[in-house]
């Protein structure tokens, strides 16, 4: 699909070149672009980098159908003390950042009460339930069904006490109809023969799908968008301007005008909404990963979390990906991969690992809102502006479902899920 962009004289009112500008070429933006395109909209996808090279690149590759309860603020005193003193690889604070993040943490703690957490789970469930289904549909359209692995993932526990608690927690989710196996040491060894025998047991979640190259998956989805006539262009989303009844942006040396715009910039969404006067409690949780070659003929069959040591190992195209927990720090601070250094010795003790594939760990930022729901819907004070960000660790999981929901809202279809829990108005 071709357009004549920015060809009108500046004295004339700008006439839209297309229907929608989608800002952000991660999994959320690409999914929104695809679903709008399927509904007959002309779409331009804009990002400063190529599709899938930012937050969408660095994750565990989980399409997390089993995560029906959001990740809430812990309430156990022992856990809180461990986190507060930086004695856990799960969570790490930059002390200089703590005063800035404290109001957000206080609201997160409030939203994590058992009653509010259950409400958040209920609100998120329609998206979670569609997560694998919507990915499967897009993969089929893109001809990349082979990217989805259907073996699920595992949570492994070192102590009997922790494993007993995990079994109880899994059974508490039976109302959601999730499939899982409770594995003792022998069953775990049968499914992961090269894993060292240091675990009391594991919960094997069977419903999720996994992918071995999350960034590559986004690239494939973007290629489908382009094959269908869409355009991907490099540009600075922060330069978005309201232009008459539409929205304009200078990208690739051209002025582009569209009737509507979608902000799907993940942790950089504030570069657009703040200048427009919106105050949204968007926080960033940073995370790290590094790829390590498996030693000899060792094979890891499933992503596996070493729960008590706070890291995940996932078989990826580039090797075994070691991913960390979260780091609270300013989004743009220099990287400090302390959690990688903390967890790598534990990982090497449970699985045969060789040399690092890349010496410098990758760092990314996860956009999070304190009530554990994304923003999906219209900007209340700006006609034709839409938001889709803040997916709280589940961007890869919820990308296609989010794209469908927002596209249905934008085109006047009956949404497959109630969009009310995701409205911006909940933040005033």
């Amino acid at each position: 699909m071709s357009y004549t962009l920015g060809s009108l004289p500046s004295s004339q009112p700008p006439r839209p070149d297309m229907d929608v500008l989608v800002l952000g070429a991660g999994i959320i933006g690409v999914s929104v672009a695809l679903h709008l395109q399927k509904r007959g909209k002309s779409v331009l996808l804009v990002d400063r980098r190529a599709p899938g090279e930012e937050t969408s690149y660095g994750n565990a590759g989980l399409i997390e159908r089993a995560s029906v309860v959001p990740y809430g603020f812990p309430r156990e005193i022992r856990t809180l003390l461990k986190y507060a003193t930086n004695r856990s690889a799960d969570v790490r604070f930059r002390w200089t950042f703590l005063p800035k993040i404290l109001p957000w943490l206080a609201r997160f703690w409030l939203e994590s009460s058992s009653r509010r957490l259950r409400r958040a789970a209920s609100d998120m469930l329609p998206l979670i339930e569609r997560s694998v289904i919507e990915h499967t549909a897009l993969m089929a359209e893109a001809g990349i069904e082979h990217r989805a692995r259907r073996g699920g993932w595992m949570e492994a526990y070192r102590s009997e006490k922790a494993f007993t608690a995990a079994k109880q927690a899994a059974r508490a989710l039976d109302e959601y109809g999730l499939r899982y196996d409770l594995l003792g040491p022998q069953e775990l060894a049968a499914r992961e023969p090269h894993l060292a025998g240091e675990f009391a047991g594991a919960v094997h979640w069977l419903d999720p799908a996994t992918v071995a190259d999350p960034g590559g998956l986004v690239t494939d989805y973007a290629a489908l968008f382009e094959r269908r006539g869409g355009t991907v262009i490099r540009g600075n989303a922060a330069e978005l301007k309201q232009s008459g009844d539409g929205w304009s942006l200078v990208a690739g040396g051209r002025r582009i005008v569209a009737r509507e715009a979608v902000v799907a910039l993940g942790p950089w969404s504030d570069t657009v909404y703040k200048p427009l006067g919106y105050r949204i409690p968007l926080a960033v949780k940073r995370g790290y990963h590094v790829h390590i070659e498996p030693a000899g003929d060792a094979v890891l069959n499933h992503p596996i979390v070493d729960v008590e040591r706070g890291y995940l190992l996932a078989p990826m195209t580039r090797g075994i990906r070691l991913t960390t927990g979260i780091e609270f720090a300013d989004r743009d601070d220099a990287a400090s991969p302390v959690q990688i250094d903390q967890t790598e010795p534990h990982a090497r003790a449970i699985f045969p690992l060789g040399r690092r594939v890349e010496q410098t760990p990758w760092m990314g930022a996860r956009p999070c809102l304190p009530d554990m729901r994304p923003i999906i819907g219209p900007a209340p004070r700006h006609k034709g502006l839409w938001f889709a960000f803040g997916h709280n660790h589940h961007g890869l999981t919820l990308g296609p479902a989010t794209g469908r929901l927002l596209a249905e809202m934008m085109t006047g279809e009956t949404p497959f899920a109630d969009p009310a829990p995701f409205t911006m108005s909940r933040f005033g």
Side-chain angles (χ1 to χ4, degrees):
M1 185 177 296
S2 61
Y3 303 97
T4 302
L5 302 177
S7 59
L8 291 173
S10 59
S11 60
Q12 296 184 21
R15 187 173 63 201
D17 302 295
M18 62 194 60
D19 294 320
V20 187
L21 288 172
V22 176
L23 309 179
I27 184 62
I28 304 297
V30 170
S31 296
V32 169
L34 276 168
H35 276 281
L36 286 170
Q37 186 184 57
K38 289 169 66 174
R39 287 158 176 81
K41 297 292 186 180
S42 56
V43 182
L44 183 73
L45 188 60
V46 182
D47 204 317
R48 62 182 181 176
R49 300 184 66 178
E53 288 191 355
E54 290 282 7
T55 305
S56 297
Y57 171 78
N59 56 68
L62 306 181
I63 303 172
E64 232 307 60
R65 171 63 182 87
S67 187
V68 293
V69 178
Y71 301 129
F73 198 106
R75 295 298 175 107
E76 302 82 6
I77 296 298
R78 183 178 178 182
T79 302
L80 289 173
L81 288 173
K82 185 172 64 173
Y83 289 169
T85 55
N86 271 346
R87 291 186 293 113
S88 170
D90 288 347
V91 177
R92 183 172 180 82
F93 290 92
R94 291 275 184 98
W95 293 112
T96 55
F97 184 67
L98 196 54
K100 184 176 180 180
I101 196 66
L102 272 177
W104 188 92
L105 289 174
R107 184 160 183 177
F108 183 29
W109 181 86
L110 182 66
E111 295 287 350
S112 299
S113 69
S114 58
R115 177 179 62 84
R116 294 191 181 198
L117 197 60
R118 189 171 183 84
R119 177 61 184 272
S122 176
D123 289 342
M124 293 297 298
L125 187 61
L127 301 185
I128 294 290
E129 287 180 328
R130 296 293 304 182
S131 59
V132 175
I133 296 169
E134 297 297 336
H135 266 288
T136 299
L138 285 188
M139 288 181 189
E141 293 171 25
I144 55 168
E145 296 96 324
H146 64 279
R147 282 202 179 273
R149 301 181 298 194
R150 302 292 180 170
W153 66 283
M154 298 180 181
E155 293 174 313
Y157 296 86
R158 293 170 178 264
S159 70
E160 285 290 351
K161 181 179 179 181
F163 185 39
T164 297
K167 289 187 284 188
Q168 294 172 347
R171 291 175 181 131
L173 300 177
D174 284 348
E175 64 180 288
Y176 297 103
L178 299 175
R179 298 179 303 125
Y180 59 88
D181 289 336
L182 302 176
L183 309 177
Q186 291 183 337
E187 292 89 354
L188 177 57
R191 297 188 189 188
E192 292 292 351
H194 292 102
L195 203 66
E198 298 185 15
F199 295 103
V203 180
H204 186 176
W205 298 101
L206 302 172
D207 295 296
T210 64
V211 293
D213 183 359
L217 176 67
V218 178
T219 298
D220 286 345
Y221 286 166
L224 172 64
F225 169 72
E226 290 184 293
R227 287 199 301 273
R228 289 176 168 174
T231 302
V232 180
I233 193 169
R234 300 288 180 94
N236 182 5
E239 296 178 0
L240 182 73
K241 305 290 183 184
Q242 199 162 19
S243 180
D245 289 333
W247 295 87
S248 69
L249 185 75
V250 175
R254 299 172 290 178
R255 184 168 181 253
I256 305 161
V257 182
R259 294 177 180 84
E260 298 179 284
V262 177
V263 179
L265 292 163
W268 296 278
S269 296
D270 62 341
T271 61
V272 174
Y273 70 69
K274 278 188 176 180
L276 294 174
Y278 293 102
R279 297 293 175 258
I280 302 170
L282 183 70
V284 167
K285 298 178 184 177
R286 305 201 316 179
Y288 299 84
H289 80 233
V290 68
H291 293 99
I292 307 174
E293 292 180 346
D297 61 354
V299 174
L300 188 66
N301 296 313
H302 310 84
I304 186 163
V305 178
D306 185 349
V307 175
E308 288 145 293
R309 296 294 185 268
Y311 66 92
L312 178 145
L313 293 178
M316 293 283 181
T317 303
R318 299 191 65 194
I320 304 299
R321 180 177 288 186
L322 167 63
T323 72
T324 69
I326 64 176
E327 179 191 39
F328 284 105
D330 192 275
R331 181 191 64 203
D332 301 320
D333 277 354
S336 177
V338 173
Q339 290 154 294
I340 290 284
D341 296 334
Q342 283 180 302
T343 56
E344 186 174 347
H346 297 301
R348 290 183 178 277
I350 68 163
F351 188 81
L353 293 171
R355 68 174 185 89
R356 286 189 181 187
V357 174
E358 65 270 271
Q359 288 304 306
T360 301
W362 179 91
M363 184 192 76
R366 307 175 182 112
C368 298
L369 292 157
D371 65 352
M372 295 157 284
R373 301 163 178 85
I375 291 176
I376 306 171
R381 300 192 301 273
H382 292 82
K383 180 183 176 182
L385 183 65
W386 302 78
F387 292 151
F389 57 82
H391 285 73
N392 298 275
H393 302 263
H394 289 310
L396 180 67
T397 293
L398 298 177
T402 295
R404 175 181 166 183
L405 178 62
L406 187 63
E408 288 172 345
M409 296 170 68
M410 293 177 68
T411 56
E413 294 182 37
T414 301
F416 78 89
D418 182 5
F422 313 117
T423 179
M424 232 200 79
S425 63
R426 71 189 195 265
F427 296 120

